Amino acid sequence: RQRSGARVQASSLEQADPLHASVVTLVNVLDQLADPLLALERCLGWLEAGGTLYARLPNGRVHALIMRLADRLPVARRWLLGSTPLHLHVLGPDQVAAAALGAGFSSVRVIMAPPHAAGRAARALLRSLAGRPVLTPSMELWARSPEQV
């Protein structure tokens, strides 16, 4: 922000001022909302024509697998999950893409994202597998608003 002079607004989805942003970023948000589609529609309304939405969220396929395994091992469940649900929604890549398209976005792409804590070797391995179905704990949604809004 200091280098580019870009205006940055950090707020909740409910309290954000109407704006015409070139980029809207959501990190670990969509899986926590009662209505992810409504949130995507609201984000689309904030973007200027051709603007970009970036969202990082848990990969529902991986988290559903973890939850199934934890159900079989009650001790592991308490250790992995505690007593609080991790996500209101367990969304897979196809569901996220469909929701973004349903909200009106174009050029929708969902990719598997390496864990933030992954070392160089892990990131290099995941990059070498690009284009193949790889299960990682997180995924990224990249979507563009239509050129004519």
Side-chain angles (χ1 to χ4, degrees):
R1 168 172 68 179
Q2 292 174 344
R3 285 188 212 169
S4 69
R7 180 175 164 234
V8 175
Q9 177 180 341
S11 72
S12 70
L13 287 169
E14 294 82 15
Q15 296 175 342
D17 293 329
L19 49 100
H20 295 284
S22 56
V23 177
V24 171
T25 303
L26 303 173
V27 178
N28 294 330
V29 172
L30 289 175
D31 60 304
Q32 300 295 331
L33 299 174
D35 191 344
L37 182 60
L38 179 63
L40 290 171
E41 290 170 349
R42 184 170 286 163
C43 290
L44 179 65
W46 294 333
L47 285 168
E48 61 192 28
T52 300
L53 169 71
Y54 167 80
R56 184 176 176 106
L57 63 156
N59 180 350
R61 290 181 184 163
V62 171
H63 288 264
L65 176 64
I66 291 169
M67 292 167 79
R68 281 195 304 273
L69 292 173
D71 282 341
R72 294 173 187 246
L73 303 167
V75 173
R77 181 174 181 77
R78 282 193 298 275
W79 178 73
L80 286 170
L81 307 176
S83 60
T84 306
L86 294 177
H87 316 286
L88 290 177
H89 299 280
V90 181
L91 304 168
D94 296 339
Q95 293 167 306
V96 171
L101 290 168
F105 284 93
S106 61
S107 303
V108 172
R109 185 169 55 121
V110 178
I111 60 172
M112 297 302 106
H116 285 297
R120 285 185 183 172
R123 284 193 300 270
L125 174 63
L126 288 171
R127 272 196 296 279
S128 72
L129 296 170
R132 297 183 187 162
V134 176
L135 286 180
T136 61
S138 296
M139 58 186 167
E140 296 176 342
L141 166 66
W142 293 89
R144 305 232 17 180
S145 66
E147 291 296 328
Q148 301 294 322
V149 178

